[in-house]
Amino acid sequence: MSVRATPVDIDHLNPQRLIPVERLKQLNTRSNRAGLLQLAGHLAVMGVSGGLWLTQMGSHSWIALPALVVYGASLATMFAALHECVHRTAFASPRLNDAVAWWAGLLSFYNSTFYRRYHKWHHRYTQIPGKDPELEDAKPQNGRDYLLELSGIPWWIGKVKGYFRLASGQLQGYPYIPESARVEVIRSVRWQLAVYSLGILLSILSGYPGFVLGWLLPLAVGQPILRFILLAEHTGCSQDEDPLTNTRTTLTLWPIRFLMWNMPYHAEHHLYPSIPFHALAKAHEYLQPYLAHLEPGYLRVHQRVVGHFLA
């Protein structure tokens, strides 16, 4: 669905050796400082936009709706912080990675303890039918499926069902969760549901729908934005083991790269998952000529996706 930006013969390349060894060592350097600055910036966007939304929503101010959109997007894209942390590349400290991953998952309605195992298999079996767990959620095959996917409705349904299955100890159908990790996953999911339950209880007792207005509604607004971004990562790419062809990089605006922790450099990430988010742009300089799917923006990707339905 997309074409190589620069024609390079990749048939005999070893994708993992495209970056010189010494340079790769430099790019692999993890940094607490870089991670904390990124996290602080993300939380600042969330705090300012959320504050504007909650204080202006009843005043008919023109700023309320844009603030809601930005706040919702910043909540949903905490998924990107979780993603980076489950790779343990956001920070040099493993404990900091794990702590931030859990709280980022709480904000974005993901569970980091489960997702770490799920995502490990996604990287191991990227785009391999029957093995990659991401392919269990079918890609849109027509316009109706496409709009439904962007709405986030299937995601919400899947999340609610998945949480209650995990919380009740029903781990059948999750081959990526080893026996040794089952207790940890179940406990983590139960704690997360307990925090949500506490938020609901406090909203009821206070008479103010803070749980809905401060989290549920904004996240529902932000989810279509996240779906729009994530749909571009592998849709229309090859279903094989070649990381140069089974994943797409999308060149996009800085605000999106910022809130997504540089995840739009997605082919680079799959080629070298050990490279931290803050070094992916530098890795792109080496890898760009070899990428089969490189697009100048998300609108271009979605034009191709929709064009495929209409063809």
Side-chain angles (χ1 to χ4, degrees):
M1 297 176 63
S2 56
V3 296
R4 192 172 300 118
T6 303
V8 174
D9 182 4
I10 63 174
D11 290 340
H12 304 293
L13 290 175
N14 182 335
Q16 278 70 43
R17 295 184 179 178
L18 296 176
I19 299 178
V21 174
E22 289 303 316
R23 183 55 173 153
L24 182 59
K25 288 181 180 179
Q26 296 171 355
L27 295 177
N28 276 336
T29 302
R30 301 170 190 184
S31 168
N32 285 337
R33 180 177 181 275
L36 289 170
L37 285 173
Q38 173 71 23
L39 179 62
H42 197 138
L43 292 176
V45 172
M46 186 183 304
V48 172
S49 59
L52 288 172
W53 156 242
L54 292 173
T55 57
Q56 299 297 317
M57 60 182 174
S59 64
H60 304 291
S61 170
W62 67 269
I63 203 170
L65 184 57
L68 172 61
V69 172
V70 174
Y71 178 45
S74 65
L75 271 176
T77 55
M78 283 303 291
F79 162 74
L82 171 143
H83 167 269
E84 188 71 17
C85 288
V86 300
H87 279 283
R88 296 193 170 103
T89 51
F91 307 96
S93 165
R95 288 186 178 181
L96 191 54
N97 277 306
D98 291 350
V100 172
W102 198 86
W103 288 101
L106 181 73
L107 291 170
S108 59
F109 202 30
Y110 282 83
N111 180 266
S112 65
T113 316
F114 171 83
Y115 186 77
R116 179 176 292 112
R117 279 81 183 185
Y118 170 98
H119 194 62
K120 183 177 180 180
W121 270 48
H122 168 60
H123 271 265
R124 180 181 295 174
Y125 301 115
T126 305
Q127 288 287 90
I128 304 300
K131 292 186 176 182
D132 183 353
E134 281 200 2
L135 294 179
E136 294 173 4
D137 299 317
K139 303 294 185 184
Q141 299 299 315
N142 52 55
R144 176 183 174 277
D145 291 346
Y146 171 75
L147 293 176
L148 189 62
E149 174 73 14
L150 290 186
S151 74
I153 293 173
W155 179 85
W156 281 103
I157 294 173
K159 282 296 175 188
V160 172
K161 288 182 177 179
Y163 267 81
F164 283 100
R165 280 192 63 193
L166 293 169
S168 61
Q170 301 178 53
L171 272 68
Q172 304 89 344
Y174 300 121
Y176 36 85
I177 301 180
E179 188 71 31
S180 60
R182 293 191 171 195
V183 172
E184 181 186 6
V185 169
I186 293 170
R187 181 173 59 243
S188 178
V189 169
R190 287 176 177 175
W191 271 110
Q192 192 165 346
L193 290 178
V195 174
Y196 295 143
S197 299
L198 178 61
I200 294 171
L201 178 61
L202 291 175
S203 292
I204 293 173
L205 293 177
S206 68
Y208 177 74
F211 183 81
V212 173
L213 297 178
W215 183 73
L216 189 61
L217 173 61
L219 186 59
V221 170
Q223 266 304 313
I225 297 172
L226 183 62
R227 295 301 109 196
F228 188 81
I229 294 170
L230 297 185
L231 192 62
E233 293 178 349
H234 300 285
T235 303
C237 298
S238 65
Q239 292 191 331
D240 55 33
E241 297 179 348
D242 188 348
L244 292 170
T245 63
N246 65 19
T247 305
R248 176 182 288 104
T249 281
T250 305
L251 304 179
T252 187
L253 301 174
W254 178 82
I256 297 176
R257 295 200 309 272
F258 174 75
L259 286 177
M260 288 301 295
W261 291 56
N262 272 340
M263 276 180 62
Y265 292 115
H266 209 62
E268 294 81 357
H269 167 68
H270 269 263
L271 282 159
Y272 296 94
S274 61
I275 295 179
F277 71 97
H278 55 82
L280 286 174
K282 295 177 181 177
H284 176 73
E285 296 174 5
Y286 288 89
L287 300 173
Q288 183 271 336
Y290 307 103
L291 303 181
H293 299 283
L294 178 63
E295 295 290 356
Y298 285 101
L299 289 177
R300 180 67 63 87
V301 176
H302 284 265
Q303 285 176 352
R304 292 183 182 278
V305 171
V306 173
H308 177 71
F309 299 152
L310 301 177

